[in-house]
C-alpha cells in the first residue's frame, strides 16, 4: 500500500463557485490545516483571474484543459490553456506527478447536495467513498469512471489521485453558509480518511454503500437556428438523484407537448438545469443506482 | 382617468435572466398577445448582446443607466450607456414618452417568489397591486417609491408608468418551468388589469392588501483590502420576506461570531444573497410590512 501524504486542496477552478474559494480562506484564517499534521497539505486558487471577475472562466473552461495532448500542444495559447500548462508544471506533470491526492472544490446550481465525484474504482477511492458515506449519510457518491477517455481532462487528472467535491444548489457568485458547511464537512472527512488509510486502519469501514454511476447526457431539443424548443419539466426540477422511470415526462416544449424518458432503465438524473452547461443546451446527466461492496476492492 | 393602451413588454434587460426572454418567445410562438386585443402590445429584448453571451451586461448594468442626466450626457459612451440612449429614443424620451406602461421582466437568485415591484403609489399602481394580489395570493407586492431620486434610474422610468415583475429563486442562465409559469401568470394578470382599468370596471377590487415597503440595504462587513469578513446567516437563506426581529442573527463571520440585526423594527429581508449584487458585497435589502387601503387612492 502506497502512502498518500502530499495533498493539494484546490478552489476557484471555476471563478464563480464561491464555496471552495471561501473554504480555503476560512481554513487559512482559523488554522484548520493543522488538524492533519500527518499530511503535507497545500491550498491553491486555480484561476485567480476568473475569481476576481466572478466568472466561471475568462476564455475556456479550465476544467476541460488537462488532456495530455492539449497540455503538450504548444499552439494552444488561450488564457486557460496557458493556465493549465502552468498548473501542470506546478502539480504534475500529468502521469509523473509528486502530488498523491488533489481535492478540487466545486459548486453546482443543481440540487445535488454534497456529492463526492470519483473517476476511478480502486481501493483508495472505494474506501474513501465508504468512509464518507458512513460519516455523512446525506452525501451522494457518484462514479464517472466510465466516462470516455477523451472526456477525462479535468484538473484532478494531473495528480496521482483526484476527487471532486461538488456541492449545490448554489447560484453562481453566491456564498451560502449551509453549502459552505456541507463542503467543509465532506472535505474534512476525506482528509480524516487519508490519515486512516495511511495508518492502515480501515477495518471499521462498512461492508458496502449506495452510489450512482454515470450513464449518459441529455440535451434539450433545438431548431435549425439552435434555439431551444423545450425546457426541463418542473416535475424534475430540484429532484437530482430521484428515480425517473421509462416513459416518465422529463421535458416539455414551449407549446406544452411532454417529452418522455426513452431509456429502458430507471435513471437517476443529476446536473439538472446546471447553469454552466446552458451553452450546450444540456438538460441533465443520467445515472444508475449501484451498490458497491468494499470486499471486492480490498 | 387616462387610458393605458400602449404597453411595452420587455425581457432580457439582464441577459442571464431567462424567464422574461423565454416568456416573450413562448407568447410569440403561441400567439398569446392576441388575448388582449384592446391593447397595443409590443415586445422587446432590451439587451440582445448580453442575452447572446448569457451575462447580466457587457460593461455596466443597463437597468441603472436611465437617469435623465445620464441619458442626456453625450460623453457617456459605454456599451450599455449607448444602449440606454437607443432605448430612450425607442420608448421615450423619458418624461415625454408615448408608452403608457412598460412591464420589465426580471429574475432573481433570491427566494422572492413572484414579486411585483412598484416605484409609485398612485391609483393605477395601487389598483394593479390589489388586483394581482387578489388573483394570485402567493404574489408579493413590493413598493420602492421611497428610493432616493438618484436611484430611480431603471429602464421602466422611460415610460409613463412602469412595473417590474421579479421572479425567483432562479440561478442565472437557467430556465425553470415553474419560475416561467409564475412570471406568465403575474404578467397576464397585469394585462387583464389594464383592460379592466381602461373599462373603469374596478368595482370588484378588494378593500386592501398586504405589501412590503423598502427601508434600507445591508452590506457584508469587509476588511481594509475589501475582502468579506462574514456571510449571510443560514437562518436567513431562502427566507426572503420572513420577519427578522431586532437582535436576531442575520450574518456570521468566518470565525463564527454572529452579527445581529440592529434596526429597531421588524424587518422583512429581500434580495437575500442575490448573485448580481456580489460586487458590492450586498447581503440583503430590508423592508417593512404595510397594509394599503384602495379607498385611500381612488
Amino acid at each position: 500500500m502506497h502512502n498518500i501524504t502530499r495533498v493539494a486542496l484546490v478552489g476557484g477552478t471555476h471563478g464563480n463557485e464561491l464555496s471552495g474559494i471561501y473554504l480555503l480562506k476560512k481554513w487559512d484564517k482559523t488554522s484548520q490545516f493543522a488538524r492533519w499534521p500527518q499530511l503535507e497539505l497545500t491550498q491553491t486558487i486555480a484561476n485567480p483571474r476568473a475569481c476576481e471577475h466572478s466568472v466561471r472562466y475568462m476564455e475556456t473552461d479550465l476544467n476541460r484543459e488537462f488532456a495530455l495532448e492539449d497540455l503538450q500542444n504548444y499552439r494552444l495559447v488561450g488564457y486557460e490553456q496557458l493556465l493549465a500548462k502552468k498548473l501542470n508544471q506546478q502539480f504534475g506533470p500529468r502521469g509523473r506527478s509528486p502530488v498523491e491526492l488533489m481535492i478540487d472544490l466545486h459548486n453546482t446550481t443543481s440540487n445535488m447536495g454534497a456529492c463526492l465525484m470519483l473517476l476511478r474504482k480502486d481501493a483508495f477511492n472505494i474506501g474513501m467513498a465508504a468512509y464518507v458515506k458512513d460519516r455523512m449519510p446525506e452525501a451522494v457518491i457518484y462514479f464517472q469512471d466510465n466516462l470516455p477517455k477523451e472526456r477525462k481532462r479535468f484538473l484532478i487528472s494531473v495528480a496521482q489521485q483526484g476527487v471532486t467535491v461538488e456541492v449545490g444548489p448554489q447560484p453562481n457568485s453566491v456564498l451560502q453558509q449551509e453549502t459552505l458547511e456541507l463542503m467543509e464537512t465532506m472535505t474534512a472527512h476525506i482528509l480524516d480518511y487519508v490519515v486512516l488509510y495511511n495508518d492502515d486502519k480501515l477495518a471499521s469501514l462498512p461492508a458496502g454503500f449506495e452510489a450512482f454511476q454515470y450513464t449518459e447526457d441529455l440535451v434539450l431539443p433545438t431548431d435549425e437556428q439552435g434555439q431551444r424548443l423545450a425546457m426541463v419539466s418542473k416535475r424534475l426540477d430540484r429532484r437530482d438523484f430521484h428515480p425517473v422511470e421509462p416513459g416518465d415526462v422529463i421535458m416539455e416544449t414551449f407549446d406544452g407537448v411532454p417529452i418522455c424518458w426513452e431509456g429502458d432503465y430507471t435513471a437517476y438524473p443529476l446536473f439538472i438545469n446546471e447553469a454552466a452547461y446552458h451553452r450546450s443546451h444540456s438538460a441533465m446527466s443520467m445515472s444508475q443506482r449501484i451498490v458497491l461492496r468494499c470486499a471486492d476492492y480490498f
Side-chain angles (χ1 to χ4, degrees), chain A:
Chain A
M1 197 165 92
H2 170 63
N3 255 23
I4 304 273
T5 306
R6 279 165 292 210
V7 180
L9 268 172
V10 179
T13 300
H14 294 134
N16 55 9
E17 300 179 3
L18 299 197
S19 299
I21 301 166
Y22 277 94
L23 179 58
L24 296 186
K25 278 192 198 192
K26 179 180 176 183
W27 278 12
D28 191 36
K29 195 163 186 164
T30 55
S31 307
Q32 291 297 301
F33 298 105
R35 283 168 63 183
W36 300 278
Q38 310 91 333
L39 305 178
E40 285 174 39
L41 278 171
T42 62
Q43 54 158 324
T44 306
I45 295 295
N47 197 342
R49 185 170 292 181
C51 295
E52 194 187 312
H53 289 83
S54 213
V55 293
R56 185 173 174 88
Y57 52 76
M58 303 307 296
E59 295 181 0
T60 57
D61 191 332
L62 177 63
N63 209 27
R64 304 292 183 273
E65 294 292 358
F66 293 87
L68 196 54
E69 59 276 25
D70 292 344
L71 292 170
Q72 292 169 347
N73 183 342
Y74 292 137
R75 286 178 308 170
L76 298 180
V77 293
Y79 183 76
E80 271 81 8
Q81 292 167 337
L82 294 174
L83 186 55
K85 291 174 173 68
K86 193 273 302 191
L87 290 162
N88 188 46
Q89 236 174 33
Q90 185 175 349
F91 292 112
R94 183 171 173 164
R96 291 176 289 126
S97 169
V99 175
E100 284 137 345
L101 174 63
M102 183 179 281
I103 305 174
D104 197 13
L105 306 170
H106 284 260
N107 289 122
T108 170
T109 63
S110 305
N111 189 21
M112 285 166 54
C115 184
L116 182 67
M117 300 178 72
L118 296 162
L119 280 169
R120 265 186 234 160
K121 285 197 195 90
D122 57 17
F124 176 72
N125 276 354
I126 294 288
M128 182 192 297
Y131 181 89
V132 168
K133 183 78 183 163
D134 191 47
R135 262 59 175 188
M136 192 179 178
E138 73 270 36
V140 175
I141 312 297
Y142 176 63
F143 285 95
Q144 43 184 358
D145 52 314
N146 56 337
L147 272 183
K149 184 174 163 289
E150 66 274 14
R151 288 185 56 191
K152 287 184 176 168
R153 45 195 173 133
F154 306 113
L155 169 56
I156 53 170
S157 324
V158 164
Q160 293 177 30
Q161 294 275 4
V163 300
T164 302
V165 175
E166 181 82 75
V167 191
Q170 184 171 269
N172 294 328
S173 303
V174 166
L175 180 68
Q176 290 170 342
Q177 188 179 16
E178 200 171 338
T179 311
L180 181 64
E181 288 176 355
L182 282 173
M183 179 177 279
E184 184 169 17
T185 302
M186 180 172 272
T187 307
H189 285 316
I190 293 170
L191 294 170
D192 290 344
Y193 164 77
V194 174
V195 173
L196 282 184
Y197 175 86
N198 289 340
D199 292 349
D200 204 8
K201 288 186 181 156
L202 298 181
S204 65
L205 284 184
F209 58 93
E210 176 199 63
F212 296 91
Q213 175 83 50
Y214 168 79
T215 52
E216 60 191 290
D217 300 309
L218 300 187
V219 294
L220 296 164
T222 50
D223 64 17
E224 312 81 57
Q225 283 81 45
Q227 299 290 309
R228 290 186 191 177
L229 296 170
M231 61 192 144
V232 172
S233 166
K234 62 186 171 187
R235 299 173 195 210
L236 264 69
D237 236 345
R238 302 184 63 83
R239 290 178 63 80
D240 298 74
F241 298 114
H242 283 73
V244 170
E245 303 297 341
D248 281 358
V249 174
I250 54 172
M251 304 178 199
E252 200 177 302
T253 68
F254 292 114
D255 33 19
V257 180
I259 298 173
C260 298
W261 168 228
E262 293 181 351
D264 58 0
Y265 59 92
T266 303
Y268 294 78
L270 64 152
F271 286 123
I272 297 173
N273 255 336
E274 160 60 46
Y277 307 152
H278 72 275
R279 270 173 212 285
S280 57
H281 304 304
S282 169
M284 66 197 80
S285 294
M286 290 305 210
S287 71
Q288 282 184 300
R289 186 178 170 278
I290 55 175
V291 175
L292 291 165
R293 298 189 331 143
C294 292
D296 293 342
Y297 296 88
F298 283 95

